[in-house]
Amino acid sequence: MAKEKKSKSQGGDKGNNKGLAIDSFCAWDGDILVLNILGTPSAKQDAIGKPKGAQLKISVTAAPVGGKATDHMVRFLAKEFGVTTHDIEVVFGRYNVNKQLRIKSPKTLPPVIGKQLSQVVG
């Protein structure tokens, strides 16, 4: 679950191997929401925090053992965005606090993300 998908990031449509370079912590790539994340494992509760530079802080209760914190984060974010776990791709950072995720057609946007995206568009 929540495995890094290398087919899209290695020579795929984008022609790069590090994901999409964005100036903010979030951006649209067609109907896909791209998120740069600074993860915090072993937190007291699962939470979407505030932006820190070009990353969004996300805390999860799972311990950082063998990618389990990332798997837990994907499950948590799937609920927050109203999508299935299969709609979230870990582009890079499965075993690192610095991650990039691609969320296919999110049904809902958490307030911090909706606010950022409205500032970029408006």
Side-chain angles (χ1 to χ4, degrees):
M1 179 168 135
K3 293 181 181 175
E4 286 189 53
K5 296 183 181 177
K6 295 185 180 179
S7 61
K8 287 186 180 180
S9 62
Q10 290 183 345
D13 296 336
K14 304 291 177 249
N16 62 25
N17 62 1
K18 288 284 188 177
L20 183 67
I22 56 178
D23 294 332
S24 174
F25 64 86
C26 61
W28 288 108
D29 184 12
D31 68 341
I32 296 173
L33 179 63
V34 181
L35 287 179
N36 286 333
I37 292 172
L38 176 61
T40 303
S42 303
K44 290 183 181 180
Q45 64 182 16
D46 296 334
I48 296 174
K50 296 180 180 180
K52 181 175 182 180
Q55 293 179 302
L56 180 64
K57 291 184 186 180
I58 298 184
S59 302
V60 294
T61 55
V65 178
K68 289 184 181 183
T70 300
D71 291 343
H72 184 85
M73 180 182 292
V74 167
R75 289 190 299 273
F76 167 65
L77 292 176
K79 292 176 189 171
E80 294 292 311
F81 287 95
V83 298
T84 68
T85 56
H86 298 291
D87 292 327
I88 300 178
E89 174 187 353
V90 179
V91 179
F92 61 80
R94 177 159 164 71
Y95 302 104
N96 195 305
V97 296
N98 300 302
K99 306 175 186 310
Q100 187 173 90
L101 303 181
R102 294 174 59 86
I103 303 172
K104 183 178 177 185
S105 303
K107 309 282 187 286
T108 59
L109 296 175
V112 67
I113 295 169
K115 180 179 177 185
Q116 177 66 25
L117 290 172
S118 68
Q119 289 175 356
V120 172
V121 174

